[in-house]
Amino acid sequence: MDTILKTVDLTKKYDGRTVVDNLNIEIKKGEIFGLLGPNGAGKSTTMNMICNIVKPDYGTVEFMGKDFRKNKKELSKRLGYIPQNLAIHGSLKAWENVELFTSLYGIKGEELKDRIDESLEYVGLSERRNDYAKNFSGGMKRRLNIACAIGHHPDLLIFDEPTVGIDPQSRNFILEKIKESNKNGATVIYTSHYMEEVEAICSRIAIMDNGRVIASGTSEELKKLVVDDVESITLEEVFLTITGKKLRDY
């Protein structure tokens, strides 16, 4: 399986504190890669560096076989980022939000209209296309956030804690859509501190703590690091054993 993205010694410090510490991860084309860790582990900072929103102090991001920072204009069109903090405008209608973000990639005219319709239908908001985003529920805002990131048909989708603070029905909807996007050809990076979500949708998982990946593999491989009988232990217990911490304590 080809590598679509990898980080090489990625490092970031804030006020003398190392937030991401020589991080090396490799994402294979066609997989759903889960980055699991507590709040403050460095997940969001890592995603921001991968997306060229934050400049690393050291290290590189290679995307589609090229240095992302040196080929930003070309490669940004191949990536879709769904941030933890909502990137939508409440004063715009749903379709206007999708239009704004999709048009940034040079898509216009009839193609832009088709992409707007397609994205809103995909996240189940077609009937609310003319409603202002500020009037949406938390779950609907999260879904609109996704619609804004997929209109340009990216090869790699990055979801940074997309289910924080929403109801179970909306959470299940988003998880199903992530799996559907993957089946349709998109590679996915999914960050979360919800153990059950990562285990449910991810083909490979990396456990991150204090800015470092301390273990990685499939769910079964991670469990085998702790016990031989994988049925006798949960991923939550694996995390506790490896890190000495409870995931939800953060």
Side-chain angles (χ1 to χ4, degrees), residues 13-182:
K13 297 181 180 181
Y14 288 112
D15 299 323
R17 184 173 69 90
T18 302
V19 179
V20 178
D21 189 2
N22 289 293
L23 189 71
N24 293 280
I25 56 175
E26 188 169 331
I27 315 299
K28 301 296 185 181
K29 185 177 181 180
E31 72 175 338
I32 302 180
F33 182 87
L35 194 58
L36 177 67
N39 290 332
K43 302 187 305 298
S44 291
T45 300
T46 298
M47 296 304 104
N48 285 332
M49 287 192 288
I50 285 175
C51 296
N52 269 301
I53 297 170
V54 170
K55 183 179 179 180
D57 295 321
Y58 184 77
T60 59
V61 176
E62 296 180 13
F63 180 38
M64 312 293 290
K66 299 179 180 180
D67 186 315
F68 201 165
R69 293 194 67 82
K70 294 179 180 179
N71 300 275
K72 184 176 179 180
K73 186 175 181 180
E74 171 195 351
L75 295 177
S76 291
K77 297 178 181 181
R78 314 280 299 268
L79 182 145
Y81 179 44
I82 299 88
Q84 182 176 353
N85 295 321
L86 293 169
I88 57 176
H89 296 273
S91 59
L92 296 180
K93 296 177 181 179
W95 74 267
E96 291 173 327
N97 270 282
V98 180
E99 178 187 54
L100 172 63
F101 287 98
T102 306
S103 64
L104 294 175
Y105 297 93
I107 300 169
K108 52 190 176 181
E110 289 300 317
E111 183 181 11
L112 178 58
K113 292 179 181 178
D114 290 342
R115 297 288 183 91
I116 293 168
D117 293 342
E118 175 187 274
S119 298
L120 289 173
E121 181 178 359
Y122 190 72
V123 298
L125 291 177
S126 294
E127 294 183 0
R128 304 294 299 272
R129 61 180 291 120
N130 291 315
D131 291 351
Y132 288 98
K134 63 184 178 183
N135 297 323
F136 283 179
S137 67
M140 291 172 64
K141 288 177 180 177
R142 289 285 175 187
R143 285 153 58 186
L144 180 58
N145 212 34
I146 294 172
C148 291
I150 63 174
H152 60 293
H153 292 176
D155 297 283
L156 176 65
L157 283 169
I158 297 178
F159 291 84
D160 188 8
E161 309 239 16
T163 63
V164 170
I166 61 174
D167 61 276
Q169 184 177 359
S170 295
R171 174 178 287 114
N172 291 336
F173 181 91
I174 289 173
L175 294 178
E176 287 302 315
K177 284 300 175 181
I178 290 172
K179 290 191 288 185
E180 186 175 337
S181 294
N182 180 248

